[in-house]
Amino acid sequence: MNNAPRIITLCLALAAASIAPAQKAPSWAKKAAKSVCTILTYGDDGTLRDKAQGVFISDDGTCLTDYRLLAGADSAAIVTKEGKTCPVKYVVGCDDIYDLTKLRADVKSSTPLPLATSPANIGDKVYVVLYSESKNPQLKEAKVSAVEDARDGDKYYTLTIRAKLTARSCPVVNTEGGLLGLFQAGGNDTTAYACGARMAAGLSFDAFMFQDVAASAVRLLKRLPDKENDAQVALVMGRSSMDDARYAAYLEIYKEMFPASPYAYEQLAALHVATDKQAAMDEIREASSLYANKDEGLYALAKFKYAATDSLGGEKGFTLSDALDDVQGAIAVNPLPLYYNLEAQVETALGDHGAARAAYAKVLGSNLCSVEALSGYIQSNAMLGADDREQLALVDSLRTLYSSTLGKDSVELLYTKAVYLDRIGDYNGALRCLSVYSAAYDELMTDAFFYYREQIAMKAKRYQQAMDDIKRALLIKPDDMTYLVEYAGLCIIANDYDNAISVLERCHSADKGNADINRLLGLSLLQLGRKEEGRKHLTLAVEAGDDVAARLLEQYGN
């Protein structure tokens, strides 16, 4: 059989399917081919996960590819047409619905493919630009068979192709070489799709990038939002999901994006303070130099030195005295209440309570007046020798003076008042203050608060309130040994020895040598006539040095 006609037909078909070197390629073809790259993704063990193509759209390494390629990957690399491999610097934005990702390659420069100035229409001829390391561009012709509206005014194209293509995320261009979209395989060999490149080029992350499910699936570093405030919000909201190394990497991205902002430098200084003192000091110095106003830079220095005194207090220029010099320098330039508040804190740490009280007084007379400032003033006054009754009078006076300024927050001073009432023996007065205080902040009350109030109720011989409070403490911390023993003590007062024994035996199994547990358990057992067991536990308490147990043992010795 003569196969010559079939061979000729096959050759003609192959020639029609691509632009061979012998056929003159469009003038833009070689440059377009240079814009196509291959992207490889890897797992955390370094094994290859997936690969696809991408296209550079700017000379700084900005590249478009598909979302599925990067979702779940731990690292990625880009191979250019010239065969050079470079890492992915970060992901700029992604869209899981249209399967698009915009990323930045860590390259000095790249050959971009310009975006098409107008969308394609049904019937238009387009080309798929394939990745190839050969000198000759590899183009595959296709025809637009359908056009749908997509996001941001872009289009989603259905293409008719002559044969199945392995061209995942290769660029689809018009006859002028303008980028229309990224190639996506269809359900059969002659149908494919192209998702709009202009839409992909506009991708970016917002302030909720670390909470977004699709964005979180991309584990590579991501570029922060373009607005500085949004970038800060994103970092604050995402911090809990990052370890220190990853957070530092994001702060470096922030520095690159907002080089005139001190924020990232301050965050890095705080991050490094425990592990790299020199780096921390360098970062905060750089941060202070970026403030437009001298007082703001001095305040930033002072605030950092005060906060880092435990770690850097011995370093030259980073002592508490240096912090005081900086904040007083800021006050000399601009006497803001915020600066006086920090001055008061530093003076307190240095032990100059008179200067601290004077600084707090400046804060109290300003719009920065707060419960914290009032508490600082009260504490400074106490450190200067005021007795409990004088302090009580001061608290009442300050509540009267600043109740309108503080509004509902003024109730917090009732806790301070309760402390002083407790100290002078007015337990019922202290309980009244704490009841008003807890009514205002009921949902925020801690186990420590209920235990403190229970102790005062015991002094006031208000045993039912004491029992209610210790139960509330145990609701929050049901296994706290101190609370359990206190509860057992109240059960003994109420003659509920069975309940007391049950709780104390549980405590005893965890701490057999505890004197309080053994004394209370021994007493409870004796009250129920279990003398031998009771004396045994009292003996254990005596051996632990409990004098009260010794007297009880003497009393119940026979």
Side-chain angles (χ1 to χ4, degrees), residues 16 29 40-41 76 91 132 150-151 159 162 176-177 180 189 194 201 254 300 323 336 359 367 374 449 504 518 545 550:
L40 309 172
T41 59
V91 177
S132 173
R151 190 165 61 81
L159 308 177
R162 295 179 180 178
E176 286 78 38
L180 291 167
D189 291 351
Y254 186 101
L336 293 177
N367 60 358
L374 285 165
F449 169 81
L504 290 167
N518 279 304

Side-chain angles (χ1 to χ4, degrees), residues 281 284-285 304-305 309 312-313 315-320 322:
M281 293 186 289
I284 196 61
R285 288 189 182 110
F304 176 79
K305 291 174 183 179
T309 184
L312 300 179
E315 300 294 326
K316 183 178 180 181
F318 282 81
T319 65
L320 280 172
D322 294 316

Side-chain angles (χ1 to χ4, degrees), residues 130 195 217 246 256 291 305 433 477:
L130 304 180
C195 199
R246 192 166 182 84
E256 175 192 309
Y291 281 96
K305 291 174 183 179
C433 288
K477 265 191 180 176

Side-chain angles (χ1 to χ4, degrees), residues 132-202:
S132 173
E133 294 184 7
S134 69
K135 292 183 179 180
N136 299 312
Q138 301 294 310
L139 308 181
K140 294 293 182 179
E141 187 178 311
K143 183 171 287 188
V144 177
S145 56
V147 181
E148 300 175 30
D149 290 332
R151 190 165 61 81
D152 299 337
D154 210 342
K155 304 297 180 181
Y156 189 82
Y157 302 101
T158 301
L159 308 177
T160 299
I161 55 179
R162 295 179 180 178
K164 184 176 181 180
L165 286 178
T166 303
R168 177 179 167 186
S169 294
C170 281
V172 176
V173 302
N174 59 23
T175 54
E176 286 78 38
L179 179 61
L180 291 167
L182 300 184
F183 184 89
Q184 297 174 345
N188 57 61
D189 291 351
T190 59
T191 301
Y193 304 97
C195 199
R198 191 169 295 279
M199 171 172 53

